[in-house]
Amino acid sequence: MLYWIAEQFQNEVGWMRLFQFLTFRAALAVILSLMISMVFGGRIIRFLRTLQIGESVRDLGLAGQKEKEGTPTMGGVIIIMAIIIPCLLVARLDNVYTLLMLLATTWMGIIGFVDDYIKVFKKDKDGLSGKFKILGQVVLGILVAVTMLISEDVVVRMDYQEALDNGYQSEIVKTHKSKETGKVIGVNVKTTLTNVPFIKDSGWDYSKLLPFLGMNAKKFVWILFVPFVIIVVVNVSNAANLTDGIDGLATGVSAIIGATLAILAYVSSNAIAADYLNILHLPGTEELVVFSACFLGACIGFLWYNSFPAQVFMGDTGSLTIGAIIAAMAILIRIELLIPVLCGIFLAENLSVMLQVGYFKYTRKKYGEGRRIFLMSPLHHHYQKKGMHESKIVTRFWIVGILLAVLTIITLKLR
């Protein structure tokens, strides 16, 4: 909104031009989201307490567990509010990436809120049926995938000759001509190209997995692309939900990932940086820098209240949403193949549960009694069972998260 106002009044009010600078808007987004989450967060927590919206803790034999009984939950509304309000103020609302991320935040926020509402007010510990949560995530995955496939604003910009050499003549939706010579020097291409880590190439197309379709591979690539996007969204969203088990863990890890996504979105949107790093140039994704700034500020602001000892829990309202946001942003800036590295903490938590359950069922069938790999899953509970204080677990997981984030950025040059 402020960007549009700045365009209208920049000649009359000179300082309004500041809102047209990406770095200024991103910095302002962080500040606004921090202020909203910290100022209004306390009031929302007090309101949740008056409604007696407290966490029901199942006795798992963990140290300090019963002390958390009654801590307000559904605090994810703080994160969502601190993302959406600054985004509406400082981001460009005519940008398809901004609109898609606002939709993803709102959609998954509603699903998570309904889940928490059933748990708290209906006293149903299972909450919203798992199949409905999965359905919501699938719908979001379809929306992201279809938008990428059909929107002419979601494109890859490449050299004209490069587009011709790679057979993208029919996928060109816009040309860019040199002002001096009038020759076509760049084109916007509708494609499912993505960045591949550690490979010295500017992109790899999903259609290459369908060689048996020949010339029709690009036409039917959606058969492969849509399910893949759905799988990414569902798994990252649920993994974030599993990670939200001790104070400040999911929030801090998500903040680290959000900051990394902001850097990756910036270099992808910048023609010079993208060319230098030999990654895909994605015009329009600069607005994802602003959205990532909102996300970062919201997570850090929520951490003010969610760090040990937590005054509020985000609930599924927050955890499902932040996971979906991370998945959607990674897909939109075409670094989904780096998710196992960037979201390594989420992956480890998710795998620990899958391995534990799978091994337990296997050994029960083979030996008559179930055996365990970990003392308890998800992984953070394993360390709690070993006697490690949750603050130390969280801090160490953050450190690992930072290392993974740095490794993710380094992959831009390790090719």
Side-chain angles (χ1 to χ4, degrees):
M1 185 176 74
L2 292 176
Y3 182 91
W4 179 82
I5 293 173
E7 281 188 322
Q8 309 306 311
F9 297 100
Q10 61 177 325
N11 293 328
E12 291 80 6
V13 186
W15 60 267
M16 291 291 288
R17 294 190 188 121
L18 281 171
F19 291 102
Q20 294 186 317
F21 289 96
L22 178 64
T23 50
F24 177 79
R25 289 189 291 124
L28 184 60
V30 172
I31 294 170
L32 287 174
S33 57
L34 270 171
M35 290 177 61
I36 290 169
S37 55
M38 291 173 67
V39 173
F40 292 99
R43 298 180 183 180
I44 291 173
I45 293 169
R46 288 192 293 273
F47 177 69
L48 292 174
R49 284 201 183 111
T50 61
L51 294 178
Q52 296 182 332
I53 302 178
E55 181 81 357
S56 297
V57 178
R58 189 160 50 97
D59 188 7
L60 299 174
L62 298 171
Q65 182 186 22
K66 295 306 290 182
E67 286 80 354
K68 299 178 186 291
E69 186 87 47
T71 302
T73 187
M74 300 177 76
V77 295
I78 300 170
I79 297 175
I80 294 170
M81 184 177 68
I83 291 173
I84 291 177
I85 294 174
C87 190
L88 291 174
L89 287 173
V90 299
R92 289 187 61 176
L93 300 180
D94 59 347
N95 181 278
V96 65
Y97 295 104
T98 301
L99 296 174
L100 192 55
M101 291 310 305
L102 285 172
L103 176 63
T105 304
T106 306
W107 175 249
M108 287 308 301
I110 291 171
I111 292 171
F113 183 85
V114 171
D115 185 37
D116 286 334
Y117 181 86
I118 293 172
K119 289 177 181 176
V120 174
F121 290 100
K122 302 297 182 181
K123 305 302 180 183
D124 183 351
K125 63 180 181 180
D126 294 325
L128 185 66
S129 174
K131 62 183 179 182
F132 288 114
K133 285 192 278 190
I134 295 293
L135 178 62
Q137 294 162 340
V138 169
V139 169
L140 177 59
I142 292 172
L143 286 171
V144 172
V146 171
T147 301
M148 293 186 70
L149 289 169
I150 67 173
S151 174
E152 293 194 356
D153 293 321
V154 181
V155 294
V156 175
R157 185 169 297 169
M158 60 179 67
D159 179 75
Y160 180 56
Q161 191 58 48
E162 180 187 358
L164 296 180
D165 293 341
N166 287 281
Y168 289 114
Q169 295 94 325
S170 60
E171 284 79 26
I172 295 174
V173 295
K174 187 177 180 181
T175 60
H176 302 272
K177 297 182 179 181
S178 169
K179 292 181 179 179
E180 290 78 17
T181 64
K183 293 183 178 180
V184 176
I185 55 174
V187 291
N188 288 356
V189 177
K190 284 297 305 172
T191 175
T192 53
L193 276 171
T194 191
N195 293 297
V196 181
F198 308 114
I199 294 178
K200 193 173 182 180
D201 195 354
S202 58
W204 175 85
D205 201 323
Y206 283 90
S207 62
K208 291 182 179 179
L209 292 176
L210 304 170
F212 53 89
L213 293 178
M215 298 297 292
N216 292 318
K218 290 186 175 68
K219 183 187 294 185
F220 292 99
V221 70
W222 62 270
I223 297 173
L224 183 67
F225 184 69
V226 174
F228 180 77
V229 171
I230 290 171
I231 290 170
V232 172
V233 171
V234 170
N235 279 279
V236 177
S237 182
N238 288 327
N241 191 26
L242 287 172
T243 305
D244 183 37
I246 51 179
D247 300 347
L249 178 57
T251 317
V253 171
S254 297
I256 295 165
I257 295 171
T260 308
L261 288 171
I263 295 170
L264 296 172
Y266 178 79
V267 297
S268 297
S269 67
N270 186 285
I272 297 173
D275 181 63
Y276 172 72
L277 295 170
N278 197 30
I279 60 175
L280 298 175
H281 177 208
L282 309 172
T285 54
E286 64 273 4
E287 292 307 307
L288 289 179
V289 178
V290 178
F291 186 89
S292 297
C294 297
F295 179 73
L296 173 62
C299 288
I300 294 175
F302 185 75
L303 196 58
W304 182 271
Y305 300 103
N306 186 236
S307 57
F308 181 85
Q311 297 171 254
V312 66
F313 300 135
M314 69 172 71
D316 284 5
T317 307
S319 59
L320 290 176
T321 304
I322 61 177
I325 287 172
I326 290 168
M329 276 200 288
I331 293 165
L332 289 174
I333 59 177
R334 304 179 191 243
I335 55 105
E336 64 270 20
L337 299 182
L338 275 171
I339 285 178
V341 180
L342 178 59
C343 301
I345 297 294
F346 290 170
L347 178 64
E349 296 275 36
N350 207 16
L351 284 176
S352 69
V353 174
M354 294 169 64
L355 290 171
Q356 186 87 321
V357 172
Y359 187 70
F360 185 86
K361 289 181 177 178
Y362 169 75
T363 52
R364 185 173 60 184
K365 184 177 180 180
K366 185 173 183 179
Y367 303 110
E369 63 173 356
R371 300 176 184 178
R372 293 173 172 83
I373 300 173
F374 306 99
L375 296 177
M376 192 176 193
S377 64
L379 188 60
H380 56 264
H381 287 326
H382 170 77
Y383 291 109
Q384 277 187 288
K385 282 285 190 180
K386 293 186 74 172
M388 190 179 295
H389 194 277
E390 62 181 277
S391 291
K392 178 170 283 190
I393 298 170
V394 170
T395 303
R396 290 182 174 179
F397 274 48
W398 286 355
I399 293 170
V400 174
I402 292 170
L403 289 172
L404 292 172
V406 172
L407 179 60
T408 301
I409 294 172
I410 287 175
T411 60
L412 296 175
K413 287 299 292 179
L414 291 177
R415 290 166 170 266

